[in-house]
Amino acid sequence: NNNTDSPVILDRSARGMTRGTVGSGSTTTSIVTSSIDPASTVATQFGNSTYKRVVIFDKDTTTANLRGQAVAISASTTGGVLTVSALTDSPVSGDTFVIV
């Protein structure tokens, strides 16, 4: 459609997403991250009682029952622990996700 703004808009959207990998010790309501980019540097950076971002597990993540599952983040810590609505299964170390 000759819209030259589309690649720029897509790139900006992608840069607003956060990639993460689950660490050990996660539960159905608490996701412990082993890596998160950008790093969690401020408490409530990814969610609080006023605004909620969403975790979406990758379609090829390790835990099959979490593939494509999305859940709201209600709190986060500077250490990268995400408090979420109940997932169907606890994530395991190595599961991957995006935060939007």
Side-chain angles (χ1 to χ4, degrees), residues 5 7 13 15 17 20 22 33-34 43 56-57 61 67 78 93 99:
D5 293 334
S13 296
R15 285 188 279 149
M17 295 179 195
V22 176
T33 61
S34 64
I56 304 171
F57 284 89
T61 199
R67 293 177 181 166
T78 56
S93 183
I99 297 174

Side-chain angles (χ1 to χ4, degrees), residues 29-31 46-47 55 71-77 80-85:
T29 58
S30 180
I31 301 171
F46 299 114
V55 170
V71 64
I73 301 169
S74 58
S76 63
T77 69
V81 177
L82 309 173
T83 302
V84 298
S85 304

Side-chain angles (χ1 to χ4, degrees), residues 31-53:
I31 301 171
V32 178
T33 61
S34 64
S35 69
I36 196 163
D37 182 28
S40 181
T41 57
V42 178
T44 70
Q45 180 173 345
F46 299 114
N48 62 34
S49 60
T50 303
Y51 76 92
K52 295 178 181 11
R53 293 186 72 184

